[in-house]
Amino acid sequence: MIDKTPGEIIKAVQAAGVIGAGGGGFPTYIKLNTRVDTVIANGSECEPLLASDKTLLKENPGLVIQGLQYAMIATGAKTGFIAIKAHYKDIAAALTKVLPPDGSIRLHFLENYYPAGDEFLTVYDVTRRIIPEGGLPLHVGVMVSNVLSLAQVAHAVAGKPVTERPVTVAGSVKQPQVIIVPIGTPYKDLIDMAGGTLNSTDVIIDGGPMMGTIVTDLDQGIAKTTSGVIALPEDHFIVNMQRTTISRMVKKSKAACCQCFRCSDLCPRNLLGHALYPHMTMRTIDYNQSEPTEHITSAFLCSQCGVCELVACDFMMLSPRKVYAEYKKLLTARGIKNPHHRSDINIVPELEFRKVSLPTVIKKLGISQYVKNTPFSGYRNVARVRIPLDRHTGAPALSTVAPGQKVKIGDVIAASPPGKTGTIYHASITGTVTEIAGTWIEICG
Ligand code: SF4
Ligand code: SF4
């Protein structure tokens, strides 16, 4: 029996600093402060190699369901779904045992494709509703939340702020595993916990192989959004693609883009009917178009999923994704807002046939040798954390503590300015604040 009001739940979630743990980092209390008819717990974890969400669902399915129930109360939703891949048989069995008997929450099984966890695709898969261009799940009456965020919602209502998270350490490491660590645990500590990298020059990625980004300083700490820490050889295809600069990419495109359309054919947002045509954008840059055309402003519709770059264009090795990221930055800097808002859209009829299966993605990425069992090794504490204050959607958080100050785990140490979208950060270990930089706070235990 849940005896919390929507207001109490939303307040607790805001105070606990819960944000989208799957990578988006959007403050969860804002999502909860809306009215929808359906809440989807996103447990698809569609990036290769990652296993943090699967581990949570296996180890603590009841916590996710409790968080989902709180989200349904807060938003007024009468229906809840937990979306998982159809082949997660053990997870389905664990969840089925603890589903509420009233039928308000059901399991939804997704095919094993990438990016099944993209909320636009998840919403379509579960409800057959299409989120408009530039829209949100809310616009079709749905809230989507990562399963870890929902577990954190349940903790928040019980008074426990976000101070830790499960992280998958995988790739070119000796002992891949899933570990729960304090937020701000240095990347190098996590690599050490996994027995170190296979090669001394391996590169570390924060996130999954498709959407993660290269870590430039291993002394820095993981964020609330860090689902994985992946090591890859320095000459790996993924590393090379990330390191290619935008100016080099544009030059390469002029010489190498053969207008084969594969990037548009496989683009998940294009398949949902959104006006996103990466091959046309590449053609536009090849002809040096300087003024925004619809194929440049369509950058606002790109999810940065990486299918066009790492799957569709793996032969020419061009990156519409990188081009869109750059255009989005430039357009925003010029004060240009997304002009694409069509809602009368239909999926491309070939959607079902053009989904890229996860085994294909793994083969294309050249990471088959890293697909291994990732056992859960429980909670590990660390002696020092560097908690990033800007890895969420909204204004960076500002420190509320001073160097030399003693803090206990769970104490508030930073918050986004009042009135601005953002979140709150808490000490993730007990100790002394040793350094405060612009975007992080260091605590030594
Ligand atoms: S897949 Fe590559 S080569 Fe083909 S149109 Fe797209 S960017 Fe050009
Ligand atoms: S990254 Fe590429 S495939 Fe993904 S949404 Fe953007 S354009 Fe489409």
Side-chain angles (χ1 to χ4, degrees):
M1 178 66 190
I2 293 175
D3 57 355
K4 297 288 177 195
T5 65
E8 285 168 339
I9 295 167
I10 293 165
K11 210 168 145 199
V13 168
Q14 183 176 13
V18 183
I19 61 171
F26 191 79
T28 302
Y29 78 91
I30 298 176
K31 278 191 185 181
L32 293 179
N33 201 6
T34 54
R35 303 299 291 174
V36 296
D37 56 54
T38 304
V39 178
I40 302 173
N42 191 346
S44 67
E45 199 163 47
C46 59
E47 278 256 15
L49 305 185
L50 298 187
S52 309
D53 290 349
K54 291 185 263 298
T55 301
L56 168 69
L57 285 165
K58 244 186 289 186
E59 295 291 322
N60 210 339
L63 193 66
V64 175
I65 288 174
Q66 199 182 11
L68 177 53
Q69 288 174 311
Y70 284 134
M72 289 166 68
I73 291 170
T75 58
K78 295 285 173 265
T79 309
F81 287 97
I82 304 175
I84 56 171
K85 298 275 185 71
H87 66 282
Y88 297 169
K89 303 284 183 211
D90 48 351
I91 292 171
L95 284 165
T96 304
K97 277 189 209 149
V98 287
L99 283 176
D102 61 6
S104 57
I105 296 177
R106 283 174 274 157
L107 301 187
H108 179 88
F109 297 109
L110 302 161
E111 287 172 67
N112 192 21
Y113 71 96
Y114 178 85
D118 168 28
E119 61 186 13
F120 281 59
L121 284 167
T122 313
V123 166
Y124 177 72
D125 211 302
V126 176
T127 66
R128 289 295 180 239
R129 301 175 195 169
I130 305 175
I131 300 173
E133 289 177 351
L136 297 167
L138 161 71
H139 296 134
V140 290
V142 182
M143 176 196 159
V144 182
S145 183
N146 170 268
V147 287
L148 175 59
S149 301
L150 290 172
Q152 291 169 342
V153 165
H155 276 315
V157 175
K160 183 179 183 308
V162 179
T163 58
E164 63 189 35
R165 67 155 296 146
V167 179
T168 309
V169 192
S172 180
V173 292
K174 291 179 184 147
Q175 295 144 20
Q177 57 195 284
V178 176
I179 319 169
I180 297 178
V181 287
I183 304 299
T185 294
Y187 292 97
K188 69 175 184 208
D189 287 16
L190 271 158
I191 295 294
D192 288 346
M193 288 176 203
T197 53
L198 298 181
N199 316 292
S200 60
T201 54
D202 283 345
V203 170
I204 306 303
I205 287 178
D206 177 311
M210 289 296 290
M211 295 186 75
T213 51
I214 291 176
V215 177
T216 51
D217 181 356
L218 299 187
D219 261 337
Q220 293 302 325
I222 62 139
K224 293 180 185 180
T225 52
T226 303
S227 46
V229 172
I230 309 291
L232 289 173
E234 61 172 347
D235 59 352
H236 194 278
F237 164 57
I238 294 170
V239 176
N240 286 338
M241 289 304 284
Q242 283 214 20
R243 285 186 167 159
T244 305
T245 61
I246 182 72
S247 55
R248 173 143 177 74
M249 185 55 66
V250 170
K251 274 191 202 134
K252 255 178 86 176
S253 174
K254 287 177 196 284
C257 180
C258 62
Q259 289 291 295
C260 67
F261 298 3
R262 271 171 59 81
C263 48
S264 295
D265 279 351
L266 297 183
C267 170
R269 294 295 170 93
N270 174 294
L271 289 168
L272 276 178
H274 290 196
L276 184 61
Y277 302 93
H279 79 283
M280 288 299 295
T281 302
M282 297 309 261
R283 190 186 296 178
T284 305
I285 63 167
D286 293 349
Y287 287 97
N288 288 334
Q289 298 249 10
S290 57
E291 285 311 306
T293 70
E294 74 267 31
H295 296 305
I296 290 175
T297 54
S298 62
F300 287 110
L301 305 182
C302 169
S303 69
Q304 294 289 301
C305 73
V307 167
C308 55
E309 171 194 85
L310 298 173
V311 178
C313 202
D314 58 330
F315 191 65
M316 293 301 188
M317 296 207 280
L318 303 175
S319 177
R321 160 166 70 174
K322 207 177 276 265
V323 169
Y324 283 134
E326 187 66 16
Y327 272 131
K328 197 168 167 186
K329 232 176 3 186
L330 293 172
L331 292 168
T332 305
R334 284 173 65 178
I336 296 172
K337 291 202 164 70
N338 172 29
H340 305 269
H341 295 289
R342 276 188 320 130
S343 56
D344 56 334
I345 44 185
N346 294 306
I347 60 154
V348 171
E350 293 81 11
L351 168 68
E352 293 304 324
F353 313 109
R354 292 204 190 140
K355 288 175 178 169
V356 188
S357 77
L358 207 64
T360 302
V361 171
I362 289 167
K363 203 167 144 202
K364 292 253 183 193
L365 295 184
I367 54 170
S368 309
Q369 69 273 39
Y370 305 125
V371 179
K372 292 183 182 152
N373 188 26
T374 38
F376 176 48
S377 54
Y379 178 79
R380 299 278 293 272
N381 206 355
V382 290
R384 179 179 69 91
V385 291
R386 267 193 193 173
I387 300 172
L389 307 179
D390 59 350
R391 303 272 297 276
H392 59 266
T393 303
L398 304 173
S399 171
T400 56
V401 289
Q405 190 172 330
K406 304 262 184 235
V407 288
K408 286 199 307 296
I409 185 167
D411 286 351
V412 172
I413 56 165
S416 298
K420 296 213 166 165
T421 299
T423 191
I424 292 173
Y425 287 87
H426 302 78
S428 58
I429 60 172
T430 295
T432 306
V433 176
T434 45
E435 202 174 340
I436 301 173
T439 54
W440 49 265
I441 293 176
E442 184 181 81
I443 302 169
C444 287

